[in-house]
Amino acid sequence: MNKKEFIEMVKEMLQESLGDEYSVVEYSHVKNNKKPLSGLAIQRIGTDLGMVIYLDKVFDEYQNGRETDKIAADLYREIRNAEIPKELSGDFMSAIVNNYESAKPMIFCKLINEKANREMLREVPYFPFLDLAVIFYIQVSKSNEGEMAITIDHKIMDLWGIDSQQLYQDTIYHMETSVPQQLQSFSDIMEGILDEEEKIILREIGINGKGRFETTPELYCLRNSSIFGASSLLYGDTMAKFAEQEQCDMLILPSSICEVLLLPDDGSRNYGELQDMVKTINQTEVSREELLSNSIYKYDRMAKKISIAYQGEEL
């Protein structure tokens, strides 16, 4: 059974389980960096909102021997557990889509690769930033299971009657307080996520006198609390303060759309080798839809400006 046949089969099974109250239709979407996804759009009849379930990974599970009945049962539970709250339909959605002031506290931005998303960028307002692009979305709701969001396109901008410059300025101002920048050393992050046995192993490899891991002593993570934390590059003075503290420029390694890594630049760094490292990690460790760039950036502490230090290959 190929993927198309699999999706059609799951669609029929879910439609039978959900009954006539729901509409279940096939859905395809090209996500960040031209990542194609296929699945089903499920909507309760008579409501404005629905949900999309992507089936690409589920199809892989099927190919690895998972039974279709169990797959359909799990998807059914997922749909039932993710019912759209009544307060997010009808008048509420109409207000945020048609009224900019109502939507403004819920607007956030994210960084994506510009060249890898040329087609998508034709449909939305965006700002170029280095070899990246800043796009905007309305965060309708957020929970431990994920978030519901609406990408802001030209149609919504026409309804709001504002220009891109105002959208950008208002969004950055809002994000500076709602999702402020966070800077944390990589060793502190490792301490926080490792269990005691893993910490013991690292301590055997070697720690410094203060009891901190020296696996990557100069590497720092910059992000914010949104799921697209790399957008923190666009605002705040954390980078400037950190560069002054270290008395040097900062190299910026694009880890993913979720965060970037900072490396103090003492003048001895080989940019080409760093770029090769970023490219290798992108190819082996980062999913296609979370890739940001293969380039290396640099923050000049005197000019207080970020530029491309080493241009990487296209994604």
Side-chain angles (χ1 to χ4, degrees), residues 2-276:
N2 60 35
K3 184 186 289 187
K4 182 173 177 57
E5 293 169 335
F6 173 78
I7 292 174
E8 178 63 29
M9 181 198 65
V10 173
K11 170 190 168 185
E12 292 177 359
M13 295 175 75
L14 286 177
Q15 185 69 77
E16 182 177 354
S17 299
L18 291 167
D20 295 337
E21 293 182 12
Y22 287 84
S23 164
V24 182
V25 298
E26 292 187 29
Y27 179 86
S28 62
H29 179 61
V30 178
K31 294 202 75 174
N32 190 36
N33 301 323
K34 300 180 182 178
K35 172 71 174 181
L37 295 175
S38 302
L40 299 171
I42 297 98
Q43 184 175 8
R44 185 188 284 273
I45 303 298
T47 61
D48 300 318
L49 291 177
M51 66 181 297
V52 172
I53 295 180
Y54 294 109
L55 298 178
D56 302 86
K57 292 181 180 179
V58 180
F59 179 65
D60 291 339
E61 294 175 7
Y62 164 75
Q63 289 187 310
N64 289 330
R66 192 162 181 229
E67 296 177 5
T68 56
D69 288 345
K70 292 182 179 180
I71 290 174
D74 285 348
L75 291 175
Y76 175 79
R77 282 192 291 270
E78 181 180 341
I79 294 166
R80 286 300 192 184
N81 291 335
E83 286 281 9
I84 306 299
K86 291 181 179 178
E87 62 269 22
L88 296 185
S89 60
D91 294 341
F92 176 84
M93 290 304 300
S94 177
I96 64 173
V97 171
N98 289 283
N99 187 287
Y100 178 59
E101 291 302 317
S102 297
K104 191 158 61 173
M106 306 161 65
I107 298 174
F108 296 83
C109 67
K110 62 180 177 180
L111 283 171
I112 61 174
N113 189 277
E114 184 173 16
K115 288 186 177 179
N117 293 281
R118 287 192 187 105
E119 292 183 15
M120 185 263 284
L121 291 174
R122 295 192 185 103
E123 308 298 324
V124 302
Y126 77 94
F127 278 83
F129 178 74
L130 305 171
D131 57 351
L132 310 173
V134 185
I135 65 172
F136 306 87
Y137 65 97
I138 305 169
Q139 186 184 84
V140 179
S141 69
K142 185 178 181 180
S143 67
N144 293 333
E145 287 74 37
E147 72 169 21
M148 185 188 305
I150 302 171
T151 300
I152 296 173
D153 58 18
H154 294 308
K155 294 179 181 178
I156 293 178
M157 291 292 286
D158 290 340
L159 289 171
W160 287 344
I162 63 169
D163 58 26
S164 299
Q165 188 65 39
Q166 181 181 350
L167 177 65
Y168 180 84
Q169 292 175 347
D170 289 346
T171 301
I172 295 300
Y173 179 79
H174 150 63
M175 290 178 64
E176 284 180 326
T177 54
S178 62
V179 285
Q181 287 179 322
Q182 302 172 359
L183 181 66
Q184 192 175 15
S185 71
F186 197 78
S187 56
D188 282 345
I189 293 173
M190 294 300 293
E191 285 188 7
I193 64 175
L194 297 178
D195 60 31
E196 288 304 315
E197 183 177 349
E198 290 169 325
K199 290 179 182 179
I200 291 172
I201 293 173
L202 280 182
R203 288 192 180 100
E204 291 176 351
I205 295 174
I207 58 175
N208 62 22
K210 296 182 180 180
R212 296 166 67 97
F213 302 126
E214 291 190 318
T215 51
T216 50
E218 295 182 299
L219 206 55
Y220 297 82
C221 177
L222 180 68
R223 57 190 171 188
N224 59 38
S225 58
S226 77
I227 63 174
F228 304 111
S231 59
S232 61
L233 271 180
L234 301 169
Y235 61 89
D237 57 359
T238 301
M239 182 99 68
K241 289 179 179 177
F242 185 53
E244 286 302 318
Q245 173 187 310
E246 298 295 313
Q247 287 293 292
C248 64
D249 297 337
M250 289 289 149
L251 291 176
I252 304 168
L253 313 183
S255 176
S256 73
I257 60 175
C258 305
E259 74 272 312
V260 297
L261 301 178
L262 305 185
L263 187 65
D265 187 10
D266 59 6
S268 65
R269 309 294 184 190
N270 184 314
Y271 294 177
E273 289 181 357
L274 284 173
Q275 193 276 326
D276 286 342

